[in-house]
Amino acid sequence: MEPILTVERLSVTFDRYGQGLSRTGVSAIRELSLTVEPGRVTAVVGESGSGKSLLAHAIFHLLPGNARMEGTIFYDGAPLTARRAAELRGREISLIPQGVTYLDPMMKIGGQLRRGRRDVAARTRCREALERYGLGPEVEEMYPFELSGGMARRVLIASAVMDAPRLIVADEPTPGLDARAAKRILGHFRELAEEGAGVLFITHDLELACAAAHKILVFQEGRRVDEVPARCFQTGEGLTHPYSAALWRAMPRNWPEV
Amino acid sequence: MKHRLKFTARKLVRIALLLLGVSLAAFLLMDASPLDPLQTNVGQAALGSMSQEQAARLEEYWGMNTPPAERYLNWLRDALRGDFGTSLLYRRPVLEVIGQRISNSLGMLVCAWVLSGVLGVALGVLAGTRRGRWPDRLIRGGCLVVSSTPSFWLALLLLMIFSVWLKVLPIGFSAPVGTETAAVTLGERLRHALLPALTLSVTGAANIALHTREKVADVLDSDYILFARARGEAHIVCRHVLRGVALPALTLQFASVGELIGGSVLAEQVFSFPGLGQAAVAAGLGSDMPLLLGITVVTAALVFGGSLVADLLYGVVDPRIRRGEAKI
Ligand SMILES: Nc1ncnc2c1ncn2[C@@H]1O[C@H](COP(=O)(O)OP(=O)(O)O)[C@@H](O)[C@H]1O
Ligand SMILES: [Mg+2]
């Protein structure tokens, strides 16, 4: 299957200014390659600080000003340049960010989801997107601080599906949710994939990745150390790297009996 | 709503206490001043030609022989009833003098206040959205220079440029010399108020611009701007940055009333502008206790009122406070 997204040898480095004029590059992502196929959920698993959010932001060409990016990203067969990304953002590629801090605290939810459009079509789509995740129209009139953690997550997902995207990048969409709510959200991702979108699901929770993804990439300190079908983590077979084997052993169900 | 009323009531009580403290402090300072009100207000010659008896009667009349505590309490009792006494310098009721001075200053102060706010926010947003590039460096450099320049020096500089060299603006006063008050046109008043207003607003605008720039930079670095971009939003500045900057700018604007009034004392002195600030200086130097206390209380009330308005507006503008309260 033709991938919708291909990342080739992506590196992200930060300039650090040391004493005097010395400048050193601190690399946060090193030579990372991955593919996301349409209709499938690809999970990236890595611990906190391993560069997962940077990967997500790099795909959207939204890295912080002091970051430098190397490597190539292909979207739908053509290079995803900064200009092309700017055109596709919010139309074909959607980000589901990490938390409620990604919503403007001074603006009502409805206004944020509609992005300034006031026409009937936009209103309808906004209402439908919220409805799809069990949120009533009253949520449109709320400010972010009035949402519970679970509602905020669902609002963020709703904002991603407003425009029927072909690629969805979800950056840790489940922390703070209880197991049932998390399962439901994973179900949503599967559903989005079944509708034909490619989903890149970023998480630090291997268990969740196994439950939701078709394919799992293990990420350590900005490098991809393993790429396996999700079922490998059921049995522990096919894991090539000691780090992913250690991750597997750390899963509660694989704890040795005592 | 109930919450807000309680909040306002608490603030008002605080302001009343602060006014009491400020008036007491001003009274004590004036009382400790070595200037003799008799000498400064009657004049050397008149005092010399006065008989011992006359002088003693004047002292009695001005209450110079009453103990300070009693004098303050007398003043306070009258002030609470709305009688701020009679100015020694102008021989008219203090409130009348203040009213007239305020009517001179007010237009100028309001102009300066509005101008500094608008200019400051506009420059701050411009600099913040072009961080590190030349508009930013230019604006930041300019603001740093202006805010580290004493305002009286700035006033003199403007005076020299516009009044002495270019001769386009009057050198001082609030109206042309030798014209009857009734005959002064609005245009002439504006021309006379322009330089002091400009002095005050330039200093104020520099501060507001620097603060606004920092806030704009913070907002632009925030998560929610990144997400707005990720959703392909256009008009990020109008939709999100201005919204995020509005609150701190508003607070700053109302908090700047104090600096503005403080600055007006010097600026009015330089431009011989017969406003409240100049009257304050005259009252201080002339040992005009009733007038000085009156001015102190009125300006302090303006300053505290400004910060009260800022607090209340915060509650109106910030949904977190407005909605949060409604739930309590
Ligand atoms: N603006 C930045 N400047 C310097 N270093 C940064 C910046 N943003 C992120 N980093 C570094 O990049 C690394 C990866 O961050 P991030 O992608 O947020 O991790 P994760 O999402 O996996 O928890 C972290 O070690 C962090 O310190
Ligand atoms: Mg992260």
Side-chain angles (χ1 to χ4, degrees), chain A residues 47-54 57 98 102 171-172 202:
Chain A
E47 55 194 72
S48 182
S50 58
K52 305 185 299 294
S53 294
L54 287 175
H57 301 165
Q98 224 174 337
Y102 286 80
D171 187 3
E172 308 228 29
I202 295 174

Side-chain angles (χ1 to χ4, degrees), chain A residues 62 89-90 95 97 101-108 111-112 115-116 141 143 145-146 159, chain B residues 223-224 226-227 229-233 239-240 243-244 247 317-320 322-324 327:
Chain A
L62 289 173
R89 290 197 294 251
L95 176 69
T101 58
Y102 286 80
L103 291 171
D104 187 336
M106 302 285 287
M107 206 169 170
K108 288 183 187 167
Q112 303 203 45
R115 283 170 264 168
E141 291 300 310
Y143 287 94
F145 80 98
E146 295 174 291
S159 102
Chain B
D223 289 343
Y224 64 88
L226 184 136
F227 188 43
R229 292 212 170 104
R231 281 176 308 177
E233 272 192 31
R239 269 169 64 79
H240 297 287
R243 215 178 273 263
L247 263 185
V317 178
D318 190 336
R320 281 162 293 195
R322 174 164 31 104
R323 293 264 182 114
K327 292 229 179 85

Side-chain angles (χ1 to χ4, degrees), chain A residues 23-38:
Chain A
R23 198 175 74 172
T24 47
V26 180
S27 89
I29 297 180
R30 260 170 291 179
E31 306 256 318
L32 176 82
S33 302
L34 64 86
T35 58
V36 177
E37 284 76 24

